């Protein structure tokens, strides 16, 4: 509209300067154009203009130029839509189609009558070259002659190999080579290194399903028979509680990861390796016999495996250690019922009743009192696997000292408690808890041992000199004062422990 107003103002200026000449000129041009210009249909199609009878008036002409109004942005119509059925087009004065026209303030009219302002051209993906192409979006920098192509396309392009190149290798570049995946087989030694961390981790969490999944990832067919031997061999270096977990693991892996034949082959490997296993574990034949009997009780292997091996000892030539293991398993299986085999490894750790653990601690202290073997006492205490209950050992040691009425027992128990504290087998918290329990029960202990307070005072002083008691134990030690009478007139002062005979 600004273009039209500017043209009007310019026209009015020229009209004011020479009105007569301009009127005659304009009228002559109009007369020429009226005879030559064809009628243009309102919707822009030239074919249907005469059919509908709507004829557009000729545009005004100035100085030999047709003045056109600025058109608004319209959407391109499909060829099949509308009554006319033709695509919109623009024609010049002679009826020829105009490809593009620049009108007014830079408004560009493209082929087909599509008008795009400057602000739309800025972000348009259409081709800037209106004379070529179909007006489709650009290809994003790919394709064309003399261009780089899409980013990363150089990796997909085929590398040209020149046979005249000195570095050309005909064997490596043979097109007939077929590549196949090769899976290397691991040896039994490598499999043991892979399986050992899995078994040790199982001793911590106790999840048999996770162990089965881990074995499936690293396991190969010929190595299944080594699983049983690896499990039993690792458990021989641990305690009875871990051996019980190993028996449970073998039972859970049966039928899922390993078969009964694999378990039998694993036990045969262990029987043949007993001379080497006995060097690190002297009781290896007994342990292996317990494992075989437990596997029979869990229905992992048939009972005839043990019976047949025992009958064919001379033919198998396994040695005396294998014979001892087979006879151990046979003796456990010939007992009435197999229910006792569920506890063949005992009830380890906190699974046992408190009274059972207390009785075993009393037997440990009595054995130490007779032998004075501190190392053996420490080994037996570790075998109990109850570190949270070590305060009971301290309590029983002090009570045994008070009931013995012997300074020899006091020295022995003081030495035992000192060594347990130095090796951190009994923690300071457990030591403190054991002494505090004795202090709280002194009212009942003194009924059976009248001199309990005197012996306790002497024992605590001896332990304090040994240097393993804390200040809290010394400050909380109870004391029993002598009963005094008002007639004594001592004014509430405590009299000395030793009095003259006349008093």
């Amino acid at each position: 509209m600004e273009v039209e107003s500017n043209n009007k103002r310019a026209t009015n200026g020229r009209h004011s300067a020479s009105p007569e000449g301009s009127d005659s000129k304009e009228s002559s041009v109009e007369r020429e154009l009226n005879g030559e210009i064809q009628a243009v249909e309102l919707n822009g199609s030239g074919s249907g203009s005469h059919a509908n009878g709507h004829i557009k008036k000729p545009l005004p002409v100035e100085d030999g130029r047709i003045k056109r109004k600025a058109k608004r942005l319209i959407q391109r119509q499909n060829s099949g839509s509308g009554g006319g059925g033709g695509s919109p087009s623009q024609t010049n004065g002679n009826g020829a189609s105009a490809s593009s026209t620049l009108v007014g303030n830079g408004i560009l009219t493209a082929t087909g009558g599509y008008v795009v302002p400057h602000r739309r051209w800025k972000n348009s993906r259409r081709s800037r070259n209106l004379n070529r192409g179909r007006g489709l979006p650009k290809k994003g920098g790919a394709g064309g002659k003399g261009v780089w192509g899409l980013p990363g396309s150089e990796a997909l392009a085929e590398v040209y190999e020149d046979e005249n190149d000195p570095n050309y290798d005909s064997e490596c570049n043979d097109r007939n080579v077929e590549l196949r995946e090769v899976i290397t087989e691991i040896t039994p030694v490598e499999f043991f290194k892979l399986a050992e961390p899995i078994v040790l981790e199982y001793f911590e969490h106790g999840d048999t399903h996770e162990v089965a999944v881990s074995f499936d990832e690293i396991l190969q067919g010929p190595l299944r028979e080594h699983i049983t031997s690896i499990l039993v061999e690792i458990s021989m270096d641990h305690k009875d509680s871990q051996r019980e977990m190993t028996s449970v693991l073998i039972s859970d892996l049966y039928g899922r990861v390993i078969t009964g034949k694999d378990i039998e082959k694993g036990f045969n490997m262990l029987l043949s390796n007993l001379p080497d296993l006995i060097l690190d574990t002297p009781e290896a034949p007994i342990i292996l016999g317990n494992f075989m009997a437990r596997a029979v009780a869990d229905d992992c292997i048939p009972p005839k495996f043990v019976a047949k091996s025992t009958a064919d000892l001379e033919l198998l030539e396994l040695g005396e250690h294998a014979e001892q293991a087979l006879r151990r398993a046979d003796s456990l299986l010939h007992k009435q019922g197999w229910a006792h085999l569920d506890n063949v490894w005992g009830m380890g750790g906190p699974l046992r009743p408190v009274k059972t653990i207390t009785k075993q601690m009393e037997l440990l202290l009595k054995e130490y009192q007779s032998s004075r073997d501190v190392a053996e006492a420490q080994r037996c205490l570790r075998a109990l696997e109850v570190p949270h209950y070590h305060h009971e050992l301290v309590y029983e040691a002090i009570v045994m000292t008070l009931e013995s009425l012997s300074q020899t027992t006091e020295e022995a128990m003081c030495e035992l408690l000192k060594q347990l504290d130095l090796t951190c087998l009994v923690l300071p918290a457990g030591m403190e808890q054991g002494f505090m329990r004795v202090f709280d029960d002194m009212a009942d202990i003194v009924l059976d041992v009248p001199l309990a307070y005197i012996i306790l005072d002497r024992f605590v002083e001896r332990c304090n000199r040994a240097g393993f008691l804390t200040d809290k134990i010394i400050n909380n030690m109870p004391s029993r004062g002598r009963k005094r009478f008002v007639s004594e007139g001592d004014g509430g002062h405590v009299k000395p422990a030793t009095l003259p005979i006349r008093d």
Side-chain angles (χ1 to χ4, degrees):
M1 300 302 293
E2 295 178 359
V3 175
E4 184 178 357
S5 61
N6 293 336
N7 295 335
K8 285 182 179 181
R9 285 195 296 269
T11 304
N12 293 334
R14 289 192 297 270
H15 279 267
S16 61
S18 57
E20 296 179 359
S22 62
D23 291 339
S24 61
K25 187 178 180 180
E26 181 178 358
S27 60
S28 63
V29 173
E30 287 182 356
R31 285 193 296 269
E32 292 178 0
L33 292 177
N34 287 334
E36 297 178 358
I37 296 178
Q38 297 179 359
V40 180
E41 189 177 354
L42 292 176
N43 60 355
S45 63
S47 60
S49 59
H50 297 286
N52 296 332
H54 298 285
I55 301 176
K56 192 174 182 180
K57 293 182 180 181
L59 298 174
V61 179
E62 279 187 1
D63 300 334
R65 293 185 303 171
I66 298 177
K67 183 175 69 174
R68 297 180 183 274
K69 294 182 180 181
K71 294 185 179 181
R72 294 183 179 180
L73 180 64
I74 61 175
Q75 187 176 2
R76 184 187 297 271
Q77 298 179 355
N78 296 330
S79 60
S81 62
S87 60
S89 62
Q90 295 179 357
T91 57
N92 54 14
N94 298 325
S97 176
S99 60
S100 61
T101 307
L102 187 62
V103 182
N105 281 339
I107 300 176
L108 189 61
T109 305
T111 304
Y114 188 76
V115 181
V116 183
H118 272 302
R119 64 178 182 274
R120 294 291 300 272
W121 276 111
K122 178 181 179 182
N123 299 324
S124 176
R125 292 179 58 86
R126 294 182 176 275
S127 177
R128 302 296 195 271
N129 191 354
L130 299 177
N131 296 327
R132 298 180 182 177
R134 296 173 295 170
L136 299 177
K138 293 185 294 184
K139 299 168 67 176
K145 183 178 181 181
V147 297
W148 287 97
L150 285 176
S153 61
E154 64 275 2
L156 303 177
E158 296 183 359
V159 180
Y160 174 73
E161 298 174 354
D162 187 6
E163 296 182 359
N164 298 324
D165 190 354
N167 296 325
Y168 178 78
D169 190 357
S170 58
E171 295 181 358
C172 296
N173 298 321
D174 191 0
R175 300 298 182 182
N176 298 325
V177 174
E178 182 181 358
L179 300 179
R180 296 180 181 179
E181 183 180 2
V182 178
I183 301 176
T184 59
E185 296 183 359
I186 58 177
T187 61
V189 178
E190 295 175 348
F191 180 67
F192 182 86
K193 294 180 180 179
L194 295 175
E196 186 176 9
I198 299 175
V199 179
L200 295 179
E201 186 178 358
Y202 164 71
F203 290 156
E204 299 294 333
H205 56 71
D207 189 359
T208 58
H209 174 71
E210 184 176 350
V211 178
V213 173
S214 301
F215 275 134
D216 288 336
E217 294 177 356
I218 65 173
L219 194 58
Q220 297 178 1
L223 297 175
R224 295 183 183 274
E225 59 191 32
H226 293 270
I227 293 180
T228 305
S229 62
I230 291 174
L231 295 177
V232 175
E233 186 175 348
I234 294 176
S235 65
M236 285 185 179
D237 298 333
H238 291 77
K239 302 176 183 178
D240 289 342
S241 58
Q242 280 79 19
R243 294 165 188 165
E244 173 67 24
M245 295 176 67
T246 303
S247 296
V248 174
L249 180 60
I250 294 175
S251 178
D252 290 349
L253 294 180
Y254 170 71
R256 176 178 177 179
V257 180
I258 54 179
T259 61
K261 295 295 183 180
D262 297 332
I263 297 176
E264 292 180 7
K265 291 179 180 178
F267 282 129
N268 288 329
M269 292 180 185
L270 292 170
L271 289 172
S272 60
N273 293 336
L274 272 179
D276 296 333
L277 296 176
I278 204 172
L279 298 177
D280 299 329
T281 309
E283 62 274 11
I286 304 299
I287 296 175
L288 182 56
N290 293 345
F291 270 114
M292 289 190 292
R294 178 64 179 272
V296 172
D298 293 338
D299 294 331
C300 296
I301 56 176
K304 65 179 182 179
F305 171 75
V306 177
K308 183 178 179 182
S309 300
T310 306
D312 299 340
L313 282 175
E314 297 180 358
L315 298 177
L316 296 176
E317 298 180 357
L318 296 176
E320 57 178 354
H321 302 298
E323 181 182 357
Q324 183 181 358
L326 290 172
R327 294 195 183 279
R328 169 69 177 177
D330 188 60
S331 63
L332 292 175
L333 293 173
H334 274 78
K335 291 182 179 180
Q336 186 177 2
W338 291 348
H340 66 281
L341 293 177
D342 293 337
N343 297 326
V344 68
W345 303 113
M347 300 176 62
L351 299 177
R352 288 171 292 182
V354 176
K355 292 183 179 180
T356 303
I357 300 175
T358 303
K359 184 177 180 180
Q360 291 180 353
M361 287 185 175
E362 292 177 356
L363 294 175
L364 185 155
L365 292 173
K366 291 180 180 179
E367 183 180 356
Y368 167 73
Q369 189 175 359
S370 60
S371 64
R372 301 295 180 89
D373 190 354
V374 179
E376 180 66 18
Q378 292 178 353
R379 188 192 66 81
C380 295
L381 184 60
R382 291 191 184 94
L384 293 178
E385 302 180 23
V386 283
H388 59 282
Y389 201 58
H390 284 175
H391 60 84
E392 178 68 20
L393 179 70
V394 180
Y395 176 84
E396 294 295 336
I398 299 174
V399 171
M400 187 176 294
T401 302
L402 297 179
E403 293 177 352
S404 65
L405 301 177
S406 172
Q407 292 188 0
T408 306
T409 305
E410 292 180 16
E411 295 176 359
M413 293 302 174
C414 180
E415 181 65 21
L416 176 62
L417 295 179
K418 179 181 178 181
Q419 294 299 325
L420 294 177
D421 181 75
L422 290 176
T423 56
C424 294
L425 193 58
V426 177
L427 299 178
M431 189 74 67
E432 181 179 324
Q433 186 176 358
F435 272 91
M436 297 301 295
R437 286 181 57 192
V438 175
F439 295 164
D440 295 337
D441 295 345
M442 282 301 294
D444 297 332
I445 295 175
V446 76
L447 298 178
D448 299 330
V449 185
L451 300 178
Y453 281 100
I454 299 175
I455 300 174
L456 179 64
D457 188 10
R458 187 170 58 199
F459 182 72
V460 170
E461 184 179 357
R462 185 188 298 273
C463 294
N464 188 23
R465 288 196 302 267
F468 62 91
L469 293 185
T470 60
D471 296 337
K472 182 178 180 180
I473 297 176
I474 298 174
N475 296 332
N476 292 330
M477 188 183 65
S479 60
R480 183 182 182 183
R482 187 178 64 85
K483 184 177 180 180
R484 294 169 297 172
F485 299 95
V486 178
S487 60
E488 293 180 357
D490 55 358
H493 297 289
V494 179
K495 293 186 177 181
T498 57
L499 296 176
I501 295 179
R502 65 172 183 267
D503 294 337

